[in-house]
Amino acid sequence: MMHLRKGSYTVCLSLLLATTNTAAEVLSKSTFHSIIRYDSIHRPAHATDGMVVSQRHSASQVGADILRQGGNAVDAAVAVGFALAVVLPRAGNIGGGGFMMIHLAETGKTISIDYRETAPSAAHTDVYLSSNGDVDDSAHRQGHSSVAVPGTVAGLTLALEKYGTMPLATVMAPAIALARDGFVMDYDTASAIATRVEMLQRQAYAKKTFFNPDGSVIPQGQLFKQAELADSLSLIAREGQSAFYQGEIAKKIVAEMQRNNGLITLEDLRAYRPVQREPVRGTYRGYDIVSMPPPSSGGAHVIQMLNVLEQFPISEMGSNSADYLHVLAATMKRAYADRSKHLGDPDFYSVPISWLTSKQYAKQLASQIHPQKVMSSADIAPGEPAPYESVDTTHFSVMDKHGNAVSNTYTLNFSFGSGIVVPGAGFLLNNEMADFSAKAGVAYAFGLLGGTANSIEPGKRPLSAMTPTIVLKEGKPWLVTGSPGGSRIISTVLQQIINVIDHKMNVASATHAARVHHQWFPDEIEFEAAVNPDAQQRLRELGYSLKPSGTMGSLQSIMWHDGAYYGSSDPRRPGAGVAGVNQ
Amino acid sequence: MSHRTTATMGRFLACLFSINLLLSACTTGSQYSGAVNATAATQSSGAVLRYDSVHHPVIARRGMVVSQNELATKVGQQILADGGNAVDAAVGVGFALAVTLPRAGNLGGSGFMLLHINGADEPTALDFRSAAPAAAMLADYQNEQGDIDWNALTYGPRAAGVPGTVAGLYHAWEKFGSMPWPVLLEPARLLAAEGIEVTQDLEYALKEALPVMEAFPASMAAYAKSNKTAYVAGEMLVQADLAQSIAAIAAEGSAAFYEGEIAHKISDYMQNTGGNVSLADLKNYRVKERTVLQTRYRNHRIATMPPSSVGGLALLQMLSVLQNFDLSQYPAGSAMSLHIIAETMKQVAANRRFGIGDPDFVDVPVNGFLSEEMADVLAGRIDLSKARATKKIDPENAQKYESRETTHYSVVDAEGNAVSTTYTLGYSFGSAAVVPGTGILLDNQLRNFSHRTPEHANGMRAGKRMLSTMTPTLVFDENGELLLVTGTPGGSRIHNVVLQILINTIDYGMNIAEASHRPRIHQQWRTPALGVEPGIGSDTLKILQGMGHIIDLQQTMGSTQSIMRRDGYLFGAADPRRPGALALGND
């Protein structure tokens, strides 16, 4: 090694802490050049002509191949969306729904497509309440009445029609091949299935789809083929979304519903429409934050929390320092309290987005945060503890060489959704009805409190936390990111943005950094094991209750800097990968 | 996984010389009550596919290769898949890295290999360190005033020692290999002949090296384009001469290198340029089998490299000192944990290993260094409440036996045989001199002798091996089963980095990926500051500073390539700190 060492930076600690700029400066010098130099433990993948990051490396490759063939980011994203339905069956889907953010370089516009599932016309709160007025969890979360009208096929095909350049059959071809020819079963998927044998064998078609003919789990290394899924995808590739919403697949869905007291009718499917919505926008320290509006609560609350945090010298406090984590947790508490009250499908409920995301409201919230004192959640607003957290949604990010970007999060809700496979069609249906608040004030599936804004009504979309986000710098996509993680999605995306902007981490270091979460109730900071133990101790002394947590989220991010693409998939869940394009 | 035993606790208490110390240990310990259990609960090393660890190792059952270059890892994986054993794969990886990671992988350099052969009582330690040519005299590297000509000891053929790598790999294969020698070299030959795609990392490394290489036409021919500009990422780097050399070694064994055509090319080059390596030096070069250094640490047996590496000795000394403290009562990464580790590094570094050199030339009092008495004395100097002052920086002694551009690789096969290899060219691209017609870079290991006087234990003498810090290491569990294979580059940081891998896995029960990702520290004696990697929290740094530590935010430390073996599974972790490293397994 000849001249690599740029010199070490002796930082007198009083300096480091008093004016942490010294440390921040040191780090900022290394931020983007640490790709090959030795300043950061983690370095992102690098590419010059485009990039795809998703929860499955094989799906990322599918997207990168589409980019290499001349497709744009939307073409690639649609290809990845269908491919993940094959190679990540627990969350990738055609029987679920989600949100897509698209930034178009040519016009500088950012568009959001809401393809969230809708409640069937027969769905009413009563359906999910037992005779004594309690929520019937099994109906709400499992079985055919938990299935909402899927939106994924409509959303992806709409995106392709309006903003893509390639024929549907071209972008779907790789997914069809992966389903028909099979893919090598990975350890992660095999063990995900192995731990859900009971759920996935409840219905004969699910059993047939995900297990060997003798009912045994398909082991790692064995080829896993999904012929019926391949047929369904081929039909969609040939006939477009109408195959799913009106044609053969629609009939198969409805037949399955009718046999099992499900709610979805042919008319529900025919009536389904993805909605283009105006994204929710904010600014943070000179960057533009563009994210998903309701019925996702994610974008509004990420912006709300960034606005609050902008009032504090986060960068000086230092990454995962107790000072920072205190302010962060205090901010999260307030945002999650608002979330339970104000958010729902905007077509049914007037969501006060501009108020929630205003700098003025943020200043008001910031002024309530005392640097040394913890305000209990109950003092912010009354609430109840929450019991449950699911993690199985998935996000992918795409950028092409023209500067177009796609940020997409979609889901079946629970891992493998309802566990119901449409007979003869080979795909899983969601259990998105669980995301409605079945009864106001009763904690719903994701452990959050939902009021009437998120009550069940026919045709309504359940509230979501999915937060596909694009951060713009000087009007151009700078960070494309998003994550699964249920209610933790919002806090995970928030910390990613803080890590790159305030803590000046490269996108890989930001992704690897340990995370925390506070969702108002329960009144505790959940933390990943790697959160600094001395910071933990200081937070306890400050009066926080701390709870060790499994890992949170699975960010799939791309950063664009100085003509190159830097990507990082999250190490927390196996199998994710970055595929770059260099031409 | 807790390895506290009554014996350990007994020693812990016995070594506390004052009530004062005991009190400070207790008070500081108690502040973490609650935190420790949380840490233990969420970091069990069984956490492989559950979502409680941020980082996950690569998992396989029937063999694993981890190296700093993905192409080389694939070569090793394929050899294992073809039925080769760990030694076969290690030979294949060793040659492949010479092609794909030319800054450190080598044929013209040297290193150390630790082998665990299933069923053997003790690991085998191969020393294939470079040796001083017979004609190399200190006076040749001094001017009239007696000043040392560091340039001549750093760049060009005069800086080169007699290379050991080819002999070392051949020796390992002769003793333990199972596949035909030429088969193991063929993948490397192909990579050289057909070319490798230049990565961004290689582009950067070559760009840094070219200004130095300009003085050496054969180096420019090997590593620059024909118009003398640097390769850029995406272009193919073909190493035709190197392919020829590998083919010759494949056909004739190591004799091709030490007596045959390559030997002649080396000695011709030396004669033409004033270098010292002669045909006789090459012919006389021998691999040395050393007695492996071992100690017990919290019910584990740690086996590592003896001199002429000093890294192993330092590592075992530090572990002996740490036995006196119950680290696991302080959470990983906490100020108290880092303080104890830093002070241990400091005390062991201060306990200067005078009189260490090539054991064939110098009697090294290994047992004295590793005695319990010595460990107790050093542990007794550690104050749990404050950092001990160190000496001022002594630039004269800023000697690092190895640059950070060394590389390590680990292999385990289905039978549980294991190979831990660290080898190097010295600096990145060594002396920067390629022997004309061979494509082989020479090292610059003559730098690493102590040049103050030839009488120094590490003074340069004909045939003598210069000291090294390379620390390939194996760990065996309480039942004597192989648990961990690890090692790293990093110059003077090597043994400190390996130490932290052992602490993270043994004391803190982390999985090997998590253990590899955690930020590292580095403390020396002559440099007062405590080196820290980015990622250690400011609350911790503040406490450390309160204890008197001076914090030096440094670049990343080391590049561990490790394999853990438990419950019938192999868990591999390539270090994220350098691009292109990869762990791959076979099922």
Side-chain angles (χ1 to χ4, degrees):
Chain A
M1 158 115 170
M2 272 162 261
H3 312 290
L4 264 179
R5 188 174 160 84
K6 295 193 305 181
S8 62
Y9 307 91
T10 304
V11 182
C12 179
L13 210 92
S14 54
L15 258 179
L16 178 70
L17 294 165
T19 59
T20 319
N21 278 346
T22 315
E25 272 169 31
V26 169
L27 295 174
S28 72
K29 274 178 202 157
S30 66
T31 301
F32 299 112
H33 303 290
S34 58
I35 313 308
I36 35 193
R37 292 190 202 157
Y38 298 141
D39 313 5
S40 287
I41 293 175
H42 302 105
R43 56 178 58 69
H46 167 272
T48 53
D49 298 289
M51 187 168 274
V52 183
V53 189
S54 81
Q55 189 59 53
R56 278 289 172 266
H57 196 250
S58 54
S60 299
Q61 291 290 359
V62 163
D65 285 342
I66 294 288
L67 292 179
R68 275 184 213 106
Q69 291 164 31
N72 69 8
V74 177
D75 296 320
V78 174
V80 172
F82 283 111
L84 283 170
V86 180
V87 297
L88 186 74
R90 86 191 65 163
N93 67 81
I94 57 174
F99 302 113
M100 182 184 281
M101 304 283 306
I102 303 172
H103 181 85
L104 298 170
E106 204 179 342
T107 58
K109 279 190 179 156
T110 312
I111 295 131
S112 78
I113 298 178
D114 165 2
Y115 60 94
R116 181 78 163 157
E117 301 91 325
T118 55
S121 50
H124 292 281
T125 301
D126 305 354
V127 174
Y128 304 99
L129 296 183
S130 59
S131 50
N132 61 7
D134 291 338
V135 176
D136 177 355
D137 274 349
S138 63
H140 193 210
R141 297 178 185 179
Q142 298 170 7
H144 292 72
S145 58
S146 73
V147 183
V149 183
T152 296
V153 172
L156 295 180
T157 52
L158 173 74
L160 187 73
E161 260 166 43
K162 295 202 75 158
Y163 308 109
T165 67
M166 288 178 151
L168 183 60
T170 306
V171 301
M172 289 189 71
I176 295 167
L178 282 165
R180 186 153 336 267
D181 305 338
F183 67 92
V184 177
M185 179 60 84
D186 53 284
Y187 193 106
D188 181 45
T189 302
S191 61
I193 292 170
T195 54
R196 290 172 184 80
V197 170
E198 195 264 323
M199 172 209 184
L200 288 171
Q201 295 199 349
R202 212 179 287 147
Q203 186 223 25
Y205 292 94
K207 184 175 177 183
K208 181 182 157 197
T209 304
F210 293 110
F211 295 86
N212 281 320
D214 66 357
S216 63
V217 173
I218 297 167
Q220 174 186 15
Q222 185 181 319
L223 204 59
F224 174 46
K225 295 185 182 185
Q226 299 170 81
E228 290 182 341
L229 177 58
D231 291 342
S232 294
L233 293 170
S234 299
L235 254 159
I236 296 165
R238 223 171 24 244
E239 297 171 17
Q241 56 93 22
S242 66
F244 190 93
Y245 291 95
Q246 299 174 40
E248 199 177 316
I249 299 170
K251 289 180 184 118
K252 286 177 176 165
I253 295 171
V254 171
E256 173 68 7
M257 289 291 151
Q258 286 172 346
R259 275 194 301 271
N260 297 281
N261 300 319
L263 304 176
I264 297 173
T265 63
L266 262 183
E267 187 44 43
D268 287 328
L269 286 165
R270 199 184 321 244
Y272 184 84
R273 294 285 179 278
V275 183
Q276 288 202 51
R277 301 194 188 273
E278 189 53 34
V280 55
R281 291 168 192 276
T283 62
Y284 184 69
R285 303 197 201 276
Y287 295 82
D288 292 301
I289 316 295
V290 190
S291 191
M292 201 64 212
S296 172
S297 59
H301 291 302
V302 162
I303 289 166
Q304 178 192 8
M305 289 192 282
L306 287 171
N307 284 339
V308 176
L309 291 166
E310 203 173 36
Q311 305 300 316
F312 297 90
I314 300 298
S315 145
E316 286 173 27
M317 292 171 173
S319 159
N320 279 358
S321 63
D323 289 343
Y324 160 63
L325 293 176
H326 162 58
V327 171
L328 186 64
T331 302
M332 285 178 182
K333 277 188 195 184
R334 285 160 175 83
Y336 279 86
D338 279 342
R339 180 183 196 258
S340 84
K341 205 157 128 195
H342 294 298
L343 287 172
D345 183 343
D347 295 341
F348 289 76
Y349 177 85
S350 172
V351 182
I353 287 295
S354 58
W355 172 72
L356 279 174
T357 60
S358 70
K359 298 281 184 196
Q360 197 189 346
Y361 179 50
K363 280 180 186 158
Q364 185 192 326
L365 292 178
S367 70
Q368 298 166 6
I369 297 173
H370 187 286
Q372 299 297 334
K373 280 186 198 155
V374 181
M375 190 189 277
S376 80
S377 290
D379 288 344
I380 291 168
E384 291 169 39
Y388 186 75
E389 175 74 29
S390 164
V391 295
D392 281 289
T393 291
T394 194
H395 180 85
F396 57 87
S397 297
V398 184
M399 283 194 80
D400 66 23
K401 63 183 174 188
H402 312 294
N404 300 311
V406 176
S407 185
N408 186 94
T409 316
Y410 71 155
T411 190
L412 288 166
N413 197 12
F414 287 13
S415 190
F416 298 95
S418 61
I420 297 162
V421 167
V422 177
F427 67 90
L428 281 161
L429 290 166
N430 67 80
N431 65 338
E432 218 67 60
M433 293 306 290
D435 267 1
F436 280 113
S437 179
K439 190 187 175 194
V442 175
Y444 65 112
F446 281 67
L448 290 156
L449 296 170
T452 51
N454 190 35
S455 60
I456 298 173
E457 293 175 65
K460 190 172 171 181
R461 292 160 196 236
L463 180 60
S464 165
M466 292 189 282
T467 313
T469 299
I470 299 176
V471 178
L472 305 170
K473 187 181 185 181
E474 287 148 16
K476 290 180 178 165
W478 179 70
L479 176 71
V480 184
T481 191
S483 175
S487 56
R488 294 182 178 88
I489 290 175
I490 305 169
S491 49
T492 297
V493 170
L494 173 73
Q495 288 169 84
Q496 182 77 340
I497 294 171
I498 299 283
N499 283 344
V500 293
I501 293 181
D502 293 284
H503 300 312
K504 302 194 168 51
M505 295 181 190
N506 73 44
V507 70
S509 294
T511 303
H512 284 252
R515 296 172 191 151
V516 301
H517 176 72
H518 197 307
Q519 63 177 35
W520 176 46
F521 280 100
D523 191 357
E524 63 196 9
I525 298 177
E526 293 181 82
F527 67 97
E528 288 185 336
V531 168
N532 182 287
D534 295 309
Q536 290 176 32
Q537 183 59 24
R538 278 200 55 212
L539 290 168
R540 281 192 194 92
E541 286 162 7
L542 213 53
Y544 279 102
S545 165
L546 265 67
K547 184 186 169 199
S549 162
T551 59
M552 305 176 194
S554 182
L555 287 161
Q556 310 298 332
S557 312
I558 303 172
M559 180 178 277
W560 187 88
H561 174 74
D562 206 12
Y565 303 82
Y566 298 95
S568 181
S569 52
D570 202 310
R572 287 167 179 76
R573 304 199 193 169
V578 181
V581 179
N582 296 292
Q583 283 168 330
Chain B
M1 154 164 108
S2 168
H3 302 286
R4 266 170 280 170
T5 64
T6 44
T8 323
M9 283 307 287
R11 290 193 62 194
F12 171 61
L13 292 172
C15 89
L16 293 173
F17 292 140
S18 69
I19 296 272
N20 204 7
L21 265 181
L22 186 60
L23 282 176
S24 73
C26 292
T27 15
T28 349
S30 62
Q31 70 168 310
Y32 290 111
S33 56
V36 176
N37 288 339
T39 311
T42 51
Q43 291 179 352
S44 92
S45 50
V48 175
L49 280 172
R50 280 174 277 142
Y51 292 147
D52 40 9
S53 286
V54 171
H55 301 106
H56 307 275
V58 173
I59 307 163
R61 282 180 181 274
R62 304 189 53 78
M64 178 82 69
V65 181
V66 191
S67 87
Q68 206 178 307
N69 179 274
E70 54 185 307
L71 295 171
T73 293
K74 283 175 186 163
V75 165
Q77 182 202 25
Q78 189 59 48
I79 290 172
L80 291 179
D82 292 344
N85 64 22
V87 180
D88 294 322
V91 169
V93 173
F95 276 91
L97 284 169
V99 178
T100 60
L101 189 77
R103 85 198 67 166
N106 67 82
L107 303 186
S110 68
F112 300 101
M113 180 185 279
L114 215 55
L115 305 99
H116 166 68
I117 303 300
N118 209 9
D121 293 338
E122 303 248 297
T124 300
L126 297 186
D127 172 346
F128 54 95
R129 183 65 165 162
S130 290
M137 309 286 273
L138 177 55
D140 295 342
Y141 296 91
Q142 285 172 316
N143 65 14
E144 285 151 19
Q145 287 77 43
D147 295 333
I148 291 162
D149 182 356
W150 285 105
N151 195 55
L153 284 166
T154 306
Y155 302 116
R158 294 182 66 211
V162 183
T165 296
V166 173
L169 297 176
Y170 193 71
H171 185 100
W173 171 79
E174 270 192 315
K175 248 191 124 163
F176 304 111
S178 73
M179 290 175 86
W181 173 255
V183 170
L184 304 178
L185 274 60
E186 181 57 13
R189 191 199 65 79
L190 266 179
L191 285 165
E194 294 181 352
I196 54 169
E197 190 178 325
V198 174
T199 59
Q200 205 197 13
D201 175 48
L202 181 54
E203 170 190 330
Y204 184 79
L206 285 172
K207 265 188 191 141
E208 292 281 322
L210 283 196
V212 185
M213 287 187 175
E214 262 172 9
F216 310 105
S219 304
M220 292 302 282
Y223 293 111
K225 293 197 271 192
S226 49
N227 63 2
K228 302 205 170 165
T229 59
Y231 283 95
V232 296
E235 293 178 332
M236 295 299 283
L237 170 65
V238 174
Q239 300 173 75
D241 285 349
L242 184 57
Q244 287 290 330
S245 294
I246 295 171
I249 298 166
E252 301 161 36
S254 70
F257 189 94
Y258 291 95
E259 296 175 54
E261 198 181 339
I262 298 169
H264 284 92
K265 283 177 178 166
I266 294 172
S267 71
D268 288 352
Y269 181 50
M270 292 288 166
Q271 282 173 4
N272 294 336
T273 55
N276 290 313
V277 180
S278 69
L279 264 184
D281 288 327
L282 289 163
K283 193 172 176 181
N284 293 333
Y285 185 84
R286 293 289 177 276
V287 175
K288 309 275 182 174
E289 284 196 24
R290 310 277 186 202
T291 305
V292 70
L293 276 190
Q294 302 193 73
T295 197
R296 295 201 72 81
Y297 180 67
R298 309 203 203 277
N299 283 336
H300 293 69
R301 179 162 57 94
I302 317 295
T304 186
M305 205 65 211
S308 54
S309 170
V310 294
L313 200 51
L315 175 70
L316 297 197
Q317 265 193 300
M318 291 191 288
L319 291 172
S320 307
V321 173
L322 283 171
Q323 293 271 40
N324 293 285
F325 302 91
D326 184 5
L327 265 188
S328 64
Q329 73 170 299
Y330 308 107
S334 65
M336 272 308 293
S337 172
L338 296 181
H339 170 70
I340 293 169
I341 295 167
E343 290 301 291
T344 299
M345 290 174 176
K346 188 187 288 177
Q347 286 306 328
V348 168
N351 177 230
R352 304 259 310 130
R353 288 168 291 280
F354 286 117
I356 301 183
D358 181 342
D360 293 339
F361 288 75
V362 181
D363 259 338
V364 183
V366 167
N367 292 336
F369 282 115
L370 296 182
S371 67
E372 211 165 294
E373 292 74 19
M374 177 77 89
D376 288 349
V377 167
L378 297 180
R381 289 181 186 155
I382 293 174
D383 184 334
L384 286 176
S385 61
K386 65 173 196 280
R388 188 167 281 268
T390 59
K391 288 197 179 174
K392 292 280 181 258
I393 296 173
D394 175 1
E396 184 93 7
N397 195 67
Q399 168 146 354
K400 292 168 182 169
Y401 298 121
E402 229 60 67
S403 85
R404 36 199 301 164
E405 289 302 342
T406 292
T407 194
H408 179 88
Y409 62 93
S410 296
V411 185
V412 178
D413 65 24
E415 276 70 52
N417 302 309
V419 180
S420 184
T421 306
T422 316
Y423 74 154
T424 188
L425 284 166
Y427 276 26
S428 184
F429 297 96
S431 65
V434 166
V435 178
T438 68
I440 295 171
L441 274 165
L442 295 167
D443 70 18
N444 62 349
Q445 288 298 358
L446 295 191
R447 257 189 86 80
N448 285 326
F449 282 113
S450 177
H451 296 290
R452 273 182 269 190
T453 71
E455 289 75 34
H456 190 281
N458 187 36
M460 187 160 65
R461 301 260 190 97
K464 193 171 167 185
R465 292 163 196 224
M466 63 294 292
L467 288 181
S468 164
T469 49
M470 293 187 278
T471 313
T473 298
L474 301 170
V475 178
F476 300 87
D477 69 14
E478 44 273 272
N479 303 317
E481 293 288 322
L482 177 75
L483 176 72
L484 181 65
V485 184
T486 190
T488 183
S492 57
R493 292 178 172 82
I494 287 179
H495 47 269
N496 285 345
V497 169
V498 172
L499 174 73
Q500 290 167 86
I501 289 286
L502 301 188
I503 290 170
N504 285 346
T505 51
I506 295 174
D507 291 278
Y508 292 120
M510 292 181 201
N511 78 48
I512 188 61
E514 195 68 33
S516 304
H517 282 253
R518 285 296 172 99
R520 296 170 184 156
I521 60 168
H522 175 62
Q523 175 74 61
Q524 301 187 91
W525 171 240
R526 301 268 179 175
T527 311
L530 172 62
V532 301
E533 282 190 331
I536 294 179
S538 55
D539 298 282
T540 298
L541 297 180
K542 193 176 182 180
I543 297 170
L544 286 169
Q545 206 215 9
M547 294 170 135
H549 291 279
I550 300 160
I551 302 299
D552 179 18
L553 181 58
Q554 297 182 349
Q555 292 186 320
T556 60
M557 304 170 185
S559 174
T560 55
Q561 312 298 335
S562 315
I563 301 171
M564 186 175 263
R565 184 167 168 270
R566 298 171 59 94
D567 309 328
Y569 283 97
L570 297 170
F571 303 99
D575 200 309
R577 290 166 180 76
R578 315 257 174 115
L582 182 68
L584 278 180
N586 289 317
D587 280 303

